[in-house]
Amino acid sequence: MSEHPDPFDEIVDAQTDRDPDLAVIEAGSRTLRAQAGVPQGDAVPARPADPEVDRALREVEADLATRWGETKLEPSVSRISALMDVLGEPQRAYPSIHITGTNGKTSTARMIEALLGAFELRTGRYTSPHVQSITERISLDGAPIEAERFIETYRDIKPYVEMVDASQEYRLSFFEVLTGMAYAAFADAPVDAAVVEVGMGGSWDATNVIDGSVAVVTPIALDHTDRLGATPAEIAGEKAGIIKQGATVVLAQQPVDAAQVMLKKAVEADATVAREGMEFGVVSREIAVGGQLLTLRGLGGEYEQIFLPLYGAHQAHNAAVALAAVEAFFGVGAEQARALDVDTIRKAFASVSSPGRLEVVRRSPTVVLDAAHNPAGARATADGITESFGFSRLIGVVGASDDKDVRGLLEAFEPIFTEIVVTRNSSHRAMDADALAAIAVEVFGDERVVVEPRLDDALEAAITLAEEESEFAGAGVLVTGSVITVGEARLLLGRG
């Protein structure tokens, strides 16, 4: 026997007065968390402390705000292609992993970024929308780009943006300019690999000027149906546009009709396909302190004792997809059969954070934030809350966008909310609180609905309702319905 006892066994032995299964689960989460090294910390930056930098950042934000917002689209990549051309094609300076899907894109992107970083690659990550700060959208080396660098990148490309604006029928949009900034910043860094999340759809999305060697498709569900299609198959047809010739496609579990569309496109592009539940997947998962313990089957073999500090079965599936994407990026399963180093994989997953995704921001009572904004996302969130928290009473705070399936969202949350406080965020797209309340009353009944048009009042009302039970009774608050609602709540609750 080894002279130095295994720390995992030591913790299990010390828990002899507890349920043995619980002791093993807790020991696993504690030892694996300890192996993760320095945690990423808060991935959401505050406003710059330097007043001059803050002023300059506000000027950039104001300048960008004069452009078409992310909900106004002219479906083509002609403008972003023209910008890439005058910038010298920065998006071709590094290999890319391109991510589309309806739900789970940002969490999956963060996991892929952590995995690549653990293997000592310099990473760039581009995701949207942001929770609190616009600089979150562009990350270098696992951290949001510094405000000064964001400003410098904007100033560097601005003359070229104006040149393209003058030559096109429509000016570049807000999202197109940010995409150009991300690709330029990644080339300037320079990064070894870029992890890029589409804004909407796939084929005509501004990000789709990269040649992703790996195309990732997270679960497809109904969202943005006015632009992408009314069925999963129609939406899949649009999202399949990111599949490039000879790429590897990593497919999360999909509705059958969506999967058929994706597979057909993969065949046309002579792409290799890895499907969740076939070539890779979640072998097992157990609740752990602060997250879950997983065994994942990748393209190169099984990876055991993976601690993931995120809640919900959907995050376990995102982890499986992220692992397969990184294996494919390194050629595992195609050029080589061997698995990646399991200790490196463990370290990477244990360091992952995903702000605004079943994120606990307060205790007594527990307040959880989740950016679910469509029925499929809400069902995953509801399952994750039920499994991981076990609240005796849960108060919902919901502020949704006017262009979403709000009834479907509320129906998904109805079984888990004792009461619901309806509100609105500051976005011009936010649904009026009274209009939201009218739908909520139909779903929940009048006696379970409270209306507080201001988000700060809504949070206070929900916390007060949760505190009506004794301190140890297990009541909680879930703030959800929109990324913007979650971001603003995060600031109000002191996490900004």
Side-chain angles (χ1 to χ4, degrees):
M1 181 163 172
S2 168
E3 185 178 335
H4 301 288
D6 186 89
F8 182 87
D9 293 333
E10 281 189 329
I11 295 171
V12 173
D13 291 342
Q15 303 286 332
T16 51
D17 59 333
R18 301 187 56 206
D19 181 298
D21 291 336
L22 287 175
V24 170
I25 291 170
E26 180 162 336
S29 64
R30 283 167 61 188
T31 52
L32 291 171
R33 188 187 284 111
Q35 293 166 16
V38 180
Q40 289 184 340
D42 194 351
V44 180
R47 295 299 309 185
D50 184 326
E52 283 302 303
V53 175
D54 189 47
R55 180 188 57 76
L57 181 59
R58 289 184 191 277
E59 285 179 3
V60 172
E61 290 168 329
D63 214 1
L64 288 168
T66 65
R67 298 181 174 274
W68 275 2
E70 289 168 282
T71 57
K72 187 170 184 180
L73 303 164
E74 192 276 315
S76 88
V77 292
S78 59
R79 291 174 302 283
I80 189 69
S81 296
L83 179 61
M84 293 296 100
D85 184 48
V86 296
L87 288 175
E89 304 288 347
Q91 81 283 14
R92 306 211 188 283
Y94 38 80
S96 301
I97 296 177
H98 206 178
I99 307 169
T100 190
T102 304
N103 292 309
K105 295 189 295 294
T106 298
S107 294
T108 303
R110 285 181 172 278
M111 294 180 200
I112 291 172
E113 173 188 50
L115 287 163
L116 293 174
F119 284 100
E120 300 185 351
L121 294 188
R122 186 155 203 215
T123 57
R125 173 174 53 82
Y126 181 52
T127 53
S128 60
H130 56 274
V131 177
Q132 281 171 215
S133 171
I134 194 171
T135 60
E136 293 165 42
R137 294 176 179 235
I138 303 172
S139 285
L140 293 170
D141 297 319
I145 190 171
E146 294 288 339
E148 293 90 339
R149 194 163 189 169
F150 185 90
I151 295 159
E152 181 185 346
T153 303
Y154 178 74
R155 289 173 176 169
D156 284 347
I157 76 164
K158 187 177 179 183
Y160 301 97
V161 168
E162 291 172 345
M163 190 187 307
V164 172
D165 284 344
S167 69
Q168 298 285 321
E169 182 180 0
Y170 303 106
R171 294 171 74 216
L172 285 152
S173 70
F174 169 87
F175 186 73
E176 287 167 335
V177 174
L178 275 175
T179 302
M181 287 174 62
Y183 290 162
F186 296 164
D188 187 56
V191 302
D192 299 314
V195 184
V196 178
E197 174 190 334
V198 303
M200 186 185 298
S203 58
W204 45 256
D205 186 72
T207 63
N208 202 29
V209 288
I210 56 172
D211 291 320
S213 59
V214 178
V216 176
V217 188
T218 66
I220 290 172
L222 299 182
D223 201 3
H224 302 295
T225 51
D226 54 331
R227 297 183 180 90
L228 302 179
T231 67
E234 289 177 5
I235 293 171
E238 178 53 45
K239 293 182 184 293
I242 73 163
I243 298 173
K244 303 303 195 304
Q245 194 70 27
T248 299
V249 185
V250 177
L251 277 182
Q253 289 179 338
Q254 304 290 350
V256 173
D257 54 347
Q260 288 171 339
V261 170
M262 286 289 172
L263 292 171
K264 182 172 183 290
K265 172 67 176 180
V267 169
E268 291 169 359
D270 195 27
T272 303
V273 179
R275 298 155 294 177
E276 184 182 5
M278 301 283 283
E279 286 77 22
F280 70 92
V282 178
V283 175
S284 66
R285 53 184 295 271
E286 298 175 90
I287 305 293
V289 178
Q292 49 193 312
L293 271 179
L294 310 175
T295 295
L296 302 176
R297 180 161 54 83
L299 306 180
E302 282 199 3
Y303 300 81
E304 298 179 338
Q305 292 286 305
I306 304 295
F307 175 66
L308 181 68
L310 301 175
Y311 300 104
H314 60 295
Q315 294 290 18
H317 291 286
N318 290 340
V321 170
L323 175 60
V326 170
E327 286 182 308
F329 183 82
F330 285 129
V332 174
E335 296 152 27
Q336 52 179 301
R338 67 175 181 82
L340 298 175
D341 180 68
V342 69
D343 288 334
T344 306
I345 297 294
R346 286 172 180 155
K347 181 177 179 180
F349 275 122
S351 74
V352 169
S353 67
S354 196
R357 277 76 182 178
L358 285 179
E359 180 188 19
V360 177
V361 293
R362 174 181 163 156
R363 298 285 186 183
S364 297
T366 299
V367 179
V368 183
L369 307 181
D370 192 88
H373 54 270
N374 56 48
R379 286 191 291 272
T381 297
D383 289 345
I385 282 278
T386 301
E387 175 188 79
S388 301
F389 293 90
F391 292 120
S392 59
R393 183 173 179 222
L394 182 62
I395 313 300
V397 175
V398 178
S401 296
D402 215 0
D403 57 347
K404 298 295 181 182
D405 178 3
V406 175
R407 181 180 295 276
L409 181 90
L410 295 179
E411 286 173 346
F413 283 125
E414 190 277 331
I416 68 165
F417 286 166
T418 310
E419 293 167 87
I420 180 172
V421 182
V422 298
T423 188
R424 64 166 292 156
N425 59 54
S426 63
S427 168
H428 66 279
R429 292 167 54 209
M431 176 175 274
D432 177 77
D434 288 333
L436 181 54
I439 301 172
V441 166
E442 292 177 11
V443 174
F444 287 84
D446 187 55
E447 69 284 354
R448 293 167 65 194
V449 179
V450 177
V451 185
E452 290 288 357
R454 286 171 49 110
L455 182 56
D456 54 349
D457 292 337
L459 290 171
E460 186 177 343
I463 289 168
T464 301
L465 284 167
E467 287 174 338
E468 285 179 0
E469 294 196 7
S470 70
E471 183 181 350
F472 303 106
V477 174
L478 174 65
V479 184
T480 190
S482 159
V483 176
I484 297 167
T485 302
V486 162
E488 292 178 357
R490 211 170 182 278
L491 276 170
L492 288 166
L493 293 163
R495 289 301 295 268

